[in-house]
Every structure is written in C-alpha cells, then in structure tokens.
Amino acid sequence: MNKRHYDSEETRSLIADKAARLFAQKGFSGTSIADISRESGCSKGHIYYHFENKEKLFVYLALETMRSWKERWEEVSVNYGTAVEKLYAMAHFVQNNFKTPLLQAGQELGSNPATSPETVAQLRGLASTPMHAYYEIFKLGLENGEFDLTEAELTSTGFLFGTLLGGLCQYLFTMESIALEGLFQRSVTVFVDGIRSKG
C-alpha cells in the first residue's frame, strides 16, 4: 500500500466506521485492534498510524457522534422561534437521540478504573455539547424576555435542565416510548413554569 493511501482520510474513515460497528456490537473491552484490523482490511500498523491506541480511537468516534448530534439539533432548532418552543423541541430531540450505538461502550470505558484519566476527562467533556445547546436556549429566553433569569444563572439553569433530561433518559430502555414522551414534555412545562417571566 502506498504512502498516500496509508495517510488518506478514506483509510481513517474506513477504520473508524468498522470500529464503531464493532464497539456497538461487542463493547469496548470485547473489541480488539485485531478485530478492527480484520473487519477493515487495514493492518494494525495502519490503525495505530491513524489512532494512537484503542482508547483514542473510541474518543474520536465519541467526538464525531457529538458533532453529529450538534449538527442535527441545529437543523431542528431553526424551526422554532421562541425559547419555550425550543425547550419542548429539545426534550423531544434528546429522547430520540440519546440511544446512540456507542452509548454502552462509552459507559463501560468511562467506568473502567484502568481507563486513562485523559480519556475519562474527554468522555466527560462530551456533555459540553448539549450543555452549550441548553445554555443558548436559556440565553435566548433571557434576551427576549421569556424567562426571569440573570446572565449569571444561565449556566446553572442549563445544567439543571440537562440533569432533568438526563434523569429521564435512564428510562429509555425500560419505559414505553409514548409514556416517556409525556414525561419529557411535562418536565419542560414544570421547568418553564419555574423560570417564566412574570412581566
């Protein structure tokens, strides 16, 4: 294989795609570099050339997942004008975009004591993407007078909202979808009632 192909984004993408499928099927520890090599048709050397180790490969995939989440939310968000409308849309979006194929493998990796502190920090940092999206909604609500908030309260309000949705996400695997959707929407109503501008 020539150097150009060795370096190519096409090779990197192929490795990432095959690795994502394996991680989703077999979990993080159940997937080896040898498995990824066999599935992708790329040598172990190719894999280590593009991704220093298995953890870094997984972090790359997790970051790509969050980048995709952000892009999809931005496509949805423009269809709603007010902050309140965006919050209801966000609740629906989170319910339908939480169960990513890599979710369980990521939880496995993040909770393993042998995982490097750098990887754990990067996995925890993934939450900054939705948290920023929540912040932007509450900022809009402050600016257009929908919410009785101060600038200093925006970050903590976004955090609380994210925690609320995250708590409901724990029931995605055990509760009927329609019942859970009602709870997601009701949670927004309760939250908004607490911060809605009285003016």
Side-chain angles (χ1 to χ4, degrees), residues 85-100:
E85 290 171 346
K86 287 180 189 289
L87 285 177
Y88 282 106
M90 176 61 85
H92 180 78
F93 182 82
V94 167
Q95 181 184 358
N96 291 283
N97 289 274
F98 182 80
K99 289 193 281 190
T100 69

Side-chain angles (χ1 to χ4, degrees), residues 8-167:
S8 76
E9 274 303 312
E10 185 182 339
T11 301
R12 183 179 175 86
S13 295
L14 174 65
I15 293 167
D17 179 60
K18 298 300 183 184
R21 291 182 194 182
L22 286 166
F23 285 136
Q25 292 167 2
K26 302 171 69 173
F28 182 81
S29 60
T31 300
S32 68
I33 292 294
D35 293 331
I36 298 167
S37 173
R38 188 169 44 256
E39 286 293 316
S40 65
C42 299
S43 70
K44 291 182 184 180
H46 275 79
I47 296 167
Y48 288 123
Y49 176 83
H50 288 282
F51 305 98
E52 188 179 327
N53 56 44
K54 191 169 73 162
E55 283 187 16
K56 289 190 185 301
L57 171 51
F58 187 88
V59 167
Y60 168 82
L61 294 169
L63 290 170
E64 284 297 294
T65 298
M66 290 315 299
R67 183 189 57 73
S68 173
W69 188 99
K70 179 175 182 284
E71 287 177 356
R72 283 180 285 122
W73 165 246
E74 287 172 350
E75 288 173 8
V76 169
S77 179
V78 295
N79 297 311
Y80 301 91
T82 69
V84 170
E85 290 171 346
K86 287 180 189 289
L87 285 177
Y88 282 106
M90 176 61 85
H92 180 78
F93 182 82
V94 167
Q95 181 184 358
N96 291 283
N97 289 274
F98 182 80
K99 289 193 281 190
T100 69
L102 297 177
L103 177 63
Q104 289 182 316
Q107 291 171 335
E108 173 197 344
L109 179 59
S111 63
N112 186 334
T115 301
S116 76
E118 178 188 4
T119 296
V120 172
Q122 288 175 308
L123 292 174
R124 288 184 178 156
L126 295 172
S128 66
T129 298
M131 286 299 172
H132 182 72
Y134 307 151
Y135 173 90
E136 288 298 319
I137 296 173
F138 290 113
K139 183 180 176 189
L140 173 65
L142 168 63
E143 290 170 350
N144 66 19
E146 289 179 77
F147 300 146
D148 184 17
L149 294 170
T150 66
E151 186 105 20
E153 294 172 321
L154 293 177
T155 298
S156 61
T157 303
F159 179 81
L160 290 170
F161 184 73
T163 302
L164 176 61
L165 295 188

Side-chain angles (χ1 to χ4, degrees), residues 173-189:
F173 304 98
T174 57
M175 188 179 289
E176 186 193 338
S177 178
I178 294 173
L180 189 56
E181 183 172 4
L183 289 176
F184 268 92
Q185 295 300 303
R186 174 70 182 145
S187 72
V188 176
T189 301

